Amino acid sequence: MKPTELVNLLRERMPSKQLEWRYDRENNNLNIQHKAIGKGMTLSLPQVINRYEAKGDSAIQEIVYTITETFDAMEKEAKGELKSSEHIYPIIRSTSFPTESKEGHKFITSEHTAETRVFYALDAGTTYRLIDENMLNSLSLTEEQLKEIAKFQVKKLKTAVKEDHVAGNVFYFLNENDGYDATRILNEAFLKEMKSKITGDMTVSVPHQDVLIIGDIRNETGYDVLAQMAMHFFTNGKVPITSLSFIYENDELEPIFILAKNRQQKENDKK
């Protein structure tokens, strides 16, 4: 599919007079502006085309849904309909994720790990809007209050997991498809509960937004399986976060490769 064909296809799927389409041939991206609210978004056309080639029309349906729901959330925000603190949640993103909005407002964030950062969002039902400094003012909250509310909200999220056994190892998958699967990594009580039932090394992976994987790694093969699994999810996720997994020990998350290095050092010390 050519970029111009993709642009035309998206315009056909979203025939709204409120949308203004700007195709940038030089940078190969598409900017969509919503006239009524004066805001928009920019799509990287090569990325969408690659996803289309891999998933077919479902990729187009996903991008149309995301654009539509995002603009709906922006409209609600403009009307002052997104102001309930009960709809504030933390969101896990890669540290390479932009830290400010298209308008130049800094997002509210918290440090997490060397691979991940915590952002905060206002839930609109079928999508959410990341909270920036400008939006924080409109919510009449301080940054500390926002983070406390979000921390409390995490505890309300379901933590049911599905279990799978591979080569003597156990993997637990959390996949509610509510947009906050990776967010469960911030639920300390949940992590401690899982730790209590694990007999090997406990690993935690958030390869993309819509899955959290907890591993009970009981042999070296388990680490190989985990690495392949995390990379697969990372490559195929709509919102990739990190292909790196973490060991959970002493209530802390530590990158697996550091653990491996430590283990090698311990073996060398024994020798």
Side-chain angles (χ1 to χ4, degrees):
M1 176 181 285
K2 296 178 181 179
T4 51
E5 294 175 334
L6 175 59
V7 173
N8 290 333
L9 181 57
L10 291 175
R11 294 186 68 168
E12 289 176 9
R13 298 286 181 93
M14 294 180 285
S16 172
K17 294 181 179 180
Q18 292 293 342
L19 300 182
E20 185 176 279
W21 305 76
R22 302 170 184 170
Y23 171 36
D24 184 343
R25 293 177 182 273
E26 183 177 348
N27 296 306
N28 209 7
N29 60 39
L30 174 66
N31 180 265
I32 309 172
Q33 287 290 322
H34 194 294
K35 298 176 184 177
I37 56 181
K39 295 183 179 181
M41 65 184 72
T42 301
L43 304 178
S44 170
L45 295 178
Q47 288 183 10
V48 179
I49 291 173
N50 288 340
R51 190 169 294 277
Y52 172 77
E53 291 176 348
K55 302 178 66 175
D57 192 65
S58 63
I60 303 300
Q61 293 176 14
E62 288 176 0
I63 195 67
V64 168
Y65 176 80
T66 300
I67 293 171
T68 302
E69 293 300 324
T70 299
F71 279 133
D72 283 347
M74 288 180 178
E75 287 185 35
K76 289 179 180 179
E77 179 193 344
K79 295 175 182 177
E81 297 175 2
L82 295 181
K83 290 195 175 182
S84 173
S85 61
E86 294 183 359
H87 299 298
I88 293 173
Y89 292 91
I91 302 291
I92 295 293
R93 288 290 183 266
S94 161
T95 48
S96 62
F97 193 84
T99 55
E100 63 178 43
S101 67
K102 296 290 184 181
E103 294 77 27
H105 302 298
K106 288 186 178 180
F107 290 123
I108 306 301
T109 65
S110 295
E111 295 301 311
H112 186 234
T113 73
E115 301 293 320
T116 55
R117 181 176 288 122
V118 182
F119 288 72
Y120 298 87
L122 195 58
D123 190 280
T126 53
T127 187
Y128 48 70
R129 178 79 188 279
L130 293 182
I131 298 173
D132 56 35
E133 293 176 336
N134 187 54
M135 192 173 180
L136 182 65
N137 292 330
S138 69
L139 291 170
S140 299
L141 293 171
T142 65
E143 188 170 323
E144 290 71 27
Q145 289 173 327
L146 174 78
K147 292 178 179 180
E148 281 302 312
I149 290 170
K151 186 177 181 179
F152 179 76
Q153 288 297 103
V154 168
K155 299 175 183 177
K156 294 183 178 181
L157 297 170
K158 295 179 182 178
T159 54
V161 295
K162 294 181 180 179
E163 184 177 327
D164 193 14
H165 295 249
V166 183
N169 303 275
V170 185
F171 295 94
Y172 301 91
F173 299 86
L174 199 156
N175 180 222
E176 292 287 341
N177 279 317
D178 57 5
Y180 304 105
D181 291 308
T183 291
R184 269 78 165 185
I185 197 174
L186 300 174
N187 187 334
E188 296 174 5
F190 169 59
L191 294 183
K192 289 179 180 179
E193 179 187 345
M194 293 301 298
K195 178 69 174 177
S196 68
K197 66 166 67 174
I198 284 174
T199 60
D201 293 334
M202 176 172 165
T203 62
V204 184
S205 311
V206 283
H208 66 72
Q209 169 187 285
D210 298 311
V211 70
L212 183 144
I213 306 169
I214 292 178
D216 184 349
I217 309 300
R218 302 174 181 177
N219 55 51
E220 290 303 316
T221 301
Y223 281 100
D224 293 333
V225 172
L226 178 63
Q228 295 174 23
M229 188 184 297
M231 180 57 72
H232 171 76
F233 278 98
F234 175 76
T235 304
N236 291 281
K238 286 190 291 185
V239 184
I241 298 176
T242 176
S243 60
L244 187 68
S245 296
F246 303 91
I247 196 78
Y248 182 72
E249 205 164 44
N250 299 321
D251 300 339
E252 294 184 354
L253 295 165
E254 185 180 7
I256 295 279
F257 68 84
I258 295 177
L259 175 71
K261 187 187 296 183
N262 290 343
R263 278 184 166 172
Q264 175 125 28
Q265 187 61 49
K266 288 178 182 177
E267 290 177 5
N268 291 337
D269 291 343
K270 288 179 182 178
K271 294 178 183 177

